[in-house]
């Protein structure tokens, strides 16, 4: 009798385990087959959208203030996000986060959205809004000799200051440079090290590099006079498959483009209209694996 009872107990247990496994599989399949409205519905219900931003990038996301006024987070990226939230009738909160932590934070749900360069690799794991910023890639180098860099091939053996996961560091590594990482450091830390020789170059977005270099005139650095390459586009990063959220953001961006708000913000912070493609000739490097 005891053996029979034990058999029944084991049989029931096995059935329950199978049922639980089926339930978990069903839940997983349900998530994979979601309607793409989950994030938007949750954000609407909360009445607030949480945006990840660095707070350390002059003209894009930085703190502005003086002795008489409280520091205020601002910049083209920040004010574009504020305007999107306003047009979607949402409150907005910003979480200061290092560039290397942005994508994991979106995946984990720590933040709802952020801003970033649109690349084919990133589009495998995330979705992007339509572009709201157009730029290209350049370098900050020492004035006296361009840090010995006259072509991308000259990056071999050089030291590049940058975030570990940025497309700019990927480019540096692809051409043989060593990447020196800083975490969520301000522009000054990166550029000072080029000046003092700890590193040789900072490969980055044209607008960020332009204003970073201009902010520290005592450093013996400048924008490389010849190396301007690969048009880049930046958009709002959203979780993969959240189509409704992406579409709502695109609607707001389209309104901002049509009524001139995007251009006004870009010119205010960058002194150029970064919301449209640049007119200057830019070298396109086809074999960049980014």
């Amino acid at each position: 009798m005891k053996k029979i009872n034990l058999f029944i107990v084991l049989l029931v247990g096995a059935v329950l385990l199978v049922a639980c496994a089926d339930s978990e599989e069903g839940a997983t399949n349900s998530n994979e087959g979601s309607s793409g409205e989950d994030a938007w519905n949750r954000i609407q219900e909360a009445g607030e959208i949480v945006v990840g931003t660095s707070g350390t990038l002059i003209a894009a996301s930085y703190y502005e203030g003086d002795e008489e006024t409280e520091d205020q987070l601002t910049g083209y990226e920040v004010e574009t996000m504020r305007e999107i939230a306003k047009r979607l009738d949402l409150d907005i909160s910003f979480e200061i986060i290092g560039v290397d932590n942005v994508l994991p934070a979106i995946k984990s749900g720590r933040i709802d959205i952020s801003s970033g360069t649109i690349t084919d690799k990133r589009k495998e794991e995330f979705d992007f809004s339509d572009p709201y910023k157009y730029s290209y890639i350049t370098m900050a180098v020492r004035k006296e000799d361009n840090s010995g860099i006259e072509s991308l091939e000259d990056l071999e053996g050089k030291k590049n200051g940058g975030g570990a996961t940025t497309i700019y560091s990927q480019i540096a590594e692809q051409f043989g440079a060593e990447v020196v990482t800083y975490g969520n450091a301000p522009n000054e830390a990166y550029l000072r090290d080029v000046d003092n020789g700890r590193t040789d170059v900072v490969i980055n977005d044209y607008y960020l590099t332009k204003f970073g270099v201009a902010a520290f005139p005592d450093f013996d650095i400048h924008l490389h006079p010849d190396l301007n390459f690969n048009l880049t586009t930046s958009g709002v990063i959203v979780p993969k498959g959240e189509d409704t959220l992406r579409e709502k953001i695109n609607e707001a961006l389209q309104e901002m483009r049509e009524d001139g708000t995007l251009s006004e913000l870009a010119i205010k912070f960058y002194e150029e209209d970064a919301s449209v493609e640049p007119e200057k000739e830019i070298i396109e490097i086809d074999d960049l694996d980014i």
Side-chain angles (χ1 to χ4, degrees), residues 212-280:
V213 168
F216 304 103
D218 293 338
F219 294 171
D220 182 34
I221 58 175
H222 68 166
L223 268 67
H224 198 293
D226 302 315
L227 291 179
N228 302 308
F229 55 99
N230 282 60
L231 179 72
T232 61
T233 56
S234 295
V236 180
I237 312 170
V238 302
K240 191 72 174 176
E242 294 294 351
D243 297 336
T244 303
L245 176 60
R246 178 177 53 81
E247 290 165 4
K248 294 291 183 181
I249 291 171
N250 278 341
E251 290 171 8
L253 285 172
Q254 184 61 29
E255 289 177 5
M256 292 164 67
R257 189 172 291 283
E258 291 174 354
D259 66 22
T261 301
L262 268 183
S263 290
E264 290 173 9
L265 288 173
I267 293 169
K268 174 182 177 180
F269 289 103
Y270 293 134
E271 299 176 359
E272 300 177 53
D273 192 354
S275 72
V276 296
E277 291 191 31
E279 296 180 355
K280 71 180 298 178

Side-chain angles (χ1 to χ4, degrees), residues 103 116-117 119-126 128 165 167:
L103 300 183
T117 306
T119 71
D120 289 338
K121 277 190 174 182
R122 288 177 174 177
K123 285 164 72 174
E124 293 174 4
E125 298 185 74
F126 301 89
F128 287 83
T165 62
I167 64 167

Side-chain angles (χ1 to χ4, degrees), residues 28-49:
T28 301
N29 291 340
S30 174
N31 289 336
E32 290 175 352
S34 67
S35 64
E37 297 181 352
D38 294 348
W40 173 245
N41 289 339
R42 175 177 49 75
I43 290 166
Q44 264 201 315
E45 184 176 346
E48 178 183 66
I49 192 163

Side-chain angles (χ1 to χ4, degrees), residues 1-17:
M1 182 65 70
K2 288 182 180 180
K3 289 182 179 180
I4 294 173
N5 289 340
L6 178 60
F7 173 75
I8 293 171
V9 168
L10 291 173
L11 180 62
V12 171
V15 171
L16 288 174
L17 284 172

Side-chain angles (χ1 to χ4, degrees), residues 108-132:
S108 70
R110 175 180 165 190
I111 59 176
D112 296 315
I113 60 173
S114 188
S115 174
T117 306
I118 302 169
T119 71
D120 289 338
K121 277 190 174 182
R122 288 177 174 177
K123 285 164 72 174
E124 293 174 4
E125 298 185 74
F126 301 89
D127 286 335
F128 287 83
S129 72
D130 295 335
Y132 73 87

